[in-house]
Amino acid sequence: MNPFKYGQVVRAGDFCPRPQLLKEIRGFIASGQNIVIQGERRIGKTSLIHEAVRSVRRTRILYVDLLEIKTADALCKRIAKAIIASENQDGFLERIFKKLSQLKPSVSVDPLTGQPTISFDPAVRLQPDSIEGLLDIIASTHKRKSVVVVFDEFQDILNLKDCREALALLRGKIQFQTNVPYIFAGSIRNKMDEIFNDPDSAFFKSAIPLTVGPLDRKRFGSFLQEKFALGKRHIDPAAIQRLFEIAVDISGDIQQLCEALWEITSYKDQITDENIPKAMSLIFARESKGYESILVLLTGQQLRCLVGLAKLDGVTPQSKAFLQAVGIHLPGSVKKALNRTEKLKIIFQYQGKYRFVNPFFKAWLAYRDF
Ligand SMILES: Nc1ncnc2c1ncn2[C@@H]1O[C@H](COP(=O)(O)OP(=O)(O)O)[C@@H](O)[C@H]1O
Ligand SMILES: [Mg+2]
């Protein structure tokens, strides 16, 4: 069994310890302090939050994922589902169904997974003002057993047409629930800043900020080494360093690369730098359909700029060297092309530099000829 996991929340033995952050978060939970957790995609925010709450005794998580949320109705329903899931852990399903009766909830069993799934009457469309009632229910369940409320990918609340109203309603309730700890997590810094650092926002400075950065290389390196050892594989420390570089220290991407390395090696193998290209090829083979569908969206100029970014790592896109390499005369044209690819979420800006959302797509672009 391949021991490397990516694209999912990792827990317990799959979670490489982050003792400092865990301690801080536990402290904030204990004092009912609201926090806002920021960090890059796939760095490990969601796993960290679950792990932190899991380690606090007699406390449950009420987890609401706002990823790609579009309407206030969906927001309310996601909160309601989270309430149900949280109550269900303690067998209070019936009672909570009564409280949510206006939504006409029902349980059915997913024929594929065998898991129970909750659905609501689609004819019931909720307005933002239902948020208040839902948060009141949360407060009442908290009285019986402590709960930590998590809004993950919170920046996506800005997608809502009536986001200001939704934020004001949320904030209005949350500020009086002084003993319920709320955790807001998000990966898109400028949008999170818009919510928490803009004086015009209802959430202005309403939670203590915490940043989740890369895992400590030494600790994570040993963690990965031990996982390889489970299959009697030995990996060179130099190869591990190389993985960190390729994946720019993004935890999930490092695990993805390790998963591929494991697949292309066998029992008692010694893994070195030289195995990495084959692992990358495996990733490319799995992902190339997706890469090609990105290419379809690009003009020739945009593609050349992206390939330039991938190949000329670190060269400023407005510099002469860059313009020459990509065969474009005007810095403004490069800027425009990159803006477009940023909008398409292929690249993003980080500390004044462009980075690829997917480091493997970057490598794929760099190694191919266009
Ligand atoms: N503490 C950790 N130990 C080991 N792997 C981790 C850890 N945190 C994150 N990862 C890796 O990163 C992936 C994404 O983690 P996740 O918590 O979903 O990140 P985020 O919420 O920041 O996008 C996981 O599937 C796992 O591969
Ligand atoms: Mg997450």
Side-chain angles (χ1 to χ4, degrees), residues 5-8 14-16 42-47 251-252 255:
K5 303 213 164 84
Y6 63 94
Q8 54 183 287
D14 293 320
F15 181 87
C16 174
R42 308 184 301 278
I43 200 83
K45 300 174 295 296
T46 305
S47 304
S251 326
Q255 288 242 30

Side-chain angles (χ1 to χ4, degrees), residues 49 53 60-64 79 135 138 142 147-151 174 177 180-184:
I49 294 167
V53 179
R60 322 163 271 160
I61 193 166
L62 197 153
Y63 178 79
V64 192
I79 298 174
L135 292 203
I138 292 177
H142 179 77
V147 64
V148 177
V149 186
V150 180
F151 285 103
I174 290 171
Q177 299 183 354
V180 186
Y182 280 83
I183 300 179
F184 307 93

Side-chain angles (χ1 to χ4, degrees), residues 214-224 237-251 253-255 257-258 276:
L215 282 156
D216 175 63
R217 278 195 176 190
K218 216 165 137 222
R219 192 191 296 273
F220 197 29
S222 318
F223 173 92
L224 297 169
I240 291 200
Q241 289 308 308
R242 187 72 198 115
L243 302 182
F244 287 141
E245 283 161 22
I246 294 172
V248 255
D249 282 288
I250 300 293
S251 326
D253 297 337
I254 295 168
Q255 288 242 30
L257 201 39
C258 287
I276 295 177

Side-chain angles (χ1 to χ4, degrees), residues 173-192:
K173 275 289 169 197
I174 290 171
Q175 68 183 337
F176 292 110
Q177 299 183 354
T178 47
N179 56 352
V180 186
Y182 280 83
I183 300 179
F184 307 93
S187 50
I188 302 177
R189 188 166 288 275
N190 53 353
K191 289 193 177 174
M192 287 296 275

Side-chain angles (χ1 to χ4, degrees), residues 79-299:
I79 298 174
K81 275 192 189 171
I83 294 174
I84 292 171
S86 169
E87 288 290 276
N88 194 23
Q89 293 168 24
D90 294 332
F92 286 111
L93 207 54
E94 219 171 295
R95 188 189 322 196
I96 210 69
F97 266 34
K98 251 189 218 140
K99 285 196 172 167
L100 293 169
S101 57
Q102 49 151 338
L103 287 167
K104 303 207 180 85
S106 59
V107 190
S108 55
V109 175
D110 184 318
L112 289 176
T113 62
Q115 291 293 314
T117 50
I118 308 286
S119 50
F120 302 119
D121 182 347
V124 180
R125 310 290 302 173
L126 294 175
Q127 302 300 319
D129 53 13
S130 301
I131 290 171
E132 294 185 307
L134 290 165
L135 292 203
D136 284 339
I137 295 178
I138 292 177
S140 71
T141 72
H142 179 77
K143 282 202 193 106
R144 204 179 52 246
K145 186 172 173 193
S146 301
V147 64
V148 177
V149 186
V150 180
F151 285 103
D152 207 352
E153 303 295 351
F154 191 58
Q155 76 278 332
D156 280 7
I157 199 167
L158 297 175
N159 293 346
L160 307 192
K161 210 169 64 246
D162 28 21
C163 67
R164 286 183 79 90
E165 186 186 359
L167 283 167
L169 288 164
L170 275 175
R171 175 79 186 117
K173 275 289 169 197
I174 290 171
Q175 68 183 337
F176 292 110
Q177 299 183 354
T178 47
N179 56 352
V180 186
Y182 280 83
I183 300 179
F184 307 93
S187 50
I188 302 177
R189 188 166 288 275
N190 53 353
K191 289 193 177 174
M192 287 296 275
D193 282 346
E194 206 177 302
I195 299 174
F196 291 94
N197 293 331
D198 181 341
D200 290 336
S201 163
F203 273 81
F204 180 57
K205 289 202 193 297
S206 64
I208 292 185
L210 269 188
T211 301
V212 180
L215 282 156
D216 175 63
R217 278 195 176 190
K218 216 165 137 222
R219 192 191 296 273
F220 197 29
S222 318
F223 173 92
L224 297 169
Q225 232 161 358
E226 279 167 29
K227 296 278 178 207
F228 277 110
L230 290 174
K232 296 275 181 293
R233 290 156 169 82
H234 182 273
I235 180 159
D236 277 3
I240 291 200
Q241 289 308 308
R242 187 72 198 115
L243 302 182
F244 287 141
E245 283 161 22
I246 294 172
V248 255
D249 282 288
I250 300 293
S251 326
D253 297 337
I254 295 168
Q255 288 242 30
Q256 184 176 356
L257 201 39
C258 287
E259 191 272 347
L261 265 175
W262 174 285
E263 285 301 309
I264 57 141
T265 50
S266 14
Y267 195 72
K268 287 197 171 158
D269 273 0
Q270 175 83 22
I271 304 172
T272 69
D273 268 10
E274 288 173 17
N275 297 99
I276 295 177
K278 201 168 162 202
M280 295 289 280
S281 300
L282 176 60
I283 293 177
F284 295 162
R286 289 171 176 167
E287 297 195 345
S288 64
K289 277 241 156 52
Y291 299 165
E292 279 155 19
S293 65
I294 295 175
L295 296 190
V296 175
L297 305 171
L298 304 174
T299 64

